[in-house]
Every structure is written in C-alpha cells, then in structure tokens.
Amino acid sequence: MLLIRQAEPEDHRRVVAVVDEWWGGRAMAAMLPKLFFIHFRDTSFVAEDDGELAGFLCGFRSQTFPEEAYIHFVGVDPATRGSGLGRTLYERFYAAVAPRTIVRAVTSPVNERSVAFHEALGFEVERVDPAYDGAGEPRVLLVKRLA
C-alpha cells in the first residue's frame, strides 16, 4: 500500500543511498543535503510502498518572494515511474505551500525527461540560463502558476 508522508531526518540516508542509481549513475546525492529533511519537513515528502522507498520530493516556501515556492529535488523509483506518483508528490507539495501561487523548479537541459515531465504538469520553460550554476552549468528554469 502506498503511503505519502512528510520527510523525516532519518529518511535522508535512505534517499541518498538510491538517488544516484535512480539517476542512471549520475552523481546526484551531493545535491540533496540532509538539511531538507530537517528544516523543510512540512514541504518535503517521502512515498513508501509497503515500507519500501518509492519516491520523494524536497521543496520549500521562498523566503524572498512571498508568492513563490520552489521544488528542489524529486525522485521516483524507476520501477514506479509512469504510475502517477510524481504527479501525486507535486500535488501534495502544492497543497502544502498554499496559498502561494507560483512554483519554480530547475533542471539540467540534458535531463529531457525532467523537462517533459514538468511540461506535462503544466510548468512552462521560463528560460535556459547557460551559466546558472557557474560557467558550463546550464539549467532550464521552470515555472508553474497555480489557480
């Protein structure tokens, strides 16, 4: 049975243990510090299927822009992709950050699957920044307006 709950600090170890594998061997674990599982628990979620990790979402309310929230990192077990779990995690996040009306996310242009997923959820590509995370580190900036 699928259970989606708020992330707990103890979940960090489970998530970083699989995240690189879930990204096809790309080194992603360093982008997911434990602080998300400590300081953003009310806007970060873990999905379990019969106790096994099936997915997660880490996000937060912007401290700078009062109408905005940001989804930092989302992962779904490759064996579970296509089940609607990613969409369900996003919907849980939207509810958690209400009444905020703008949700932002950033992904790498090489992650075409991520861009397509976000577009299917109603995100728009705001722009591609060729040096978002420094020279040679382009990112696709995505935005969704709720309501």
Side-chain angles (χ1 to χ4, degrees):
M1 182 167 132
L2 186 68
L3 168 71
I4 298 177
R5 60 174 174 75
Q6 290 179 320
E8 297 290 335
E10 299 77 32
D11 293 315
H12 179 258
R13 181 181 44 78
R14 293 173 66 200
V15 170
V16 297
V18 298
V19 74
D20 291 351
E21 177 187 332
W22 287 7
W23 261 257
R26 289 175 56 206
M28 303 300 289
M31 293 183 61
L32 195 57
K34 190 171 184 176
L35 67 89
F36 283 94
F37 297 79
I38 298 170
H39 297 285
F40 301 110
R41 289 167 39 191
D42 65 333
T43 54
S44 296
F45 304 94
V46 167
E48 296 174 319
D49 192 1
D50 291 327
E52 296 296 319
L53 183 66
F56 67 92
L57 181 151
C58 293
F60 55 90
R61 294 173 191 90
S62 174
Q63 297 297 302
T64 306
F65 304 106
E67 295 300 314
E68 297 186 12
Y70 179 79
I71 295 175
H72 174 67
F73 211 116
V74 179
V76 173
D77 183 337
T80 308
R81 291 182 187 154
S83 69
L85 177 56
R87 179 180 296 273
T88 300
L89 286 165
Y90 273 64
E91 289 169 355
R92 182 69 63 95
F93 179 78
Y94 303 153
V97 300
R100 294 184 184 225
T101 57
I102 299 171
V103 177
R104 296 188 178 276
V106 175
T107 193
S108 172
V110 301
N111 195 344
E112 295 172 1
R113 188 142 114 207
S114 175
V115 174
F117 170 75
H118 283 90
E119 289 178 330
L121 291 181
F123 280 79
E124 298 173 8
V125 173
E126 189 172 53
R127 73 181 195 280
V128 176
D129 186 327
Y132 183 81
D133 280 329
E137 296 293 335
R139 297 292 181 262
V140 179
L141 282 64
L142 301 149
V143 63
K144 178 178 174 103
R145 288 165 177 59
L146 303 174

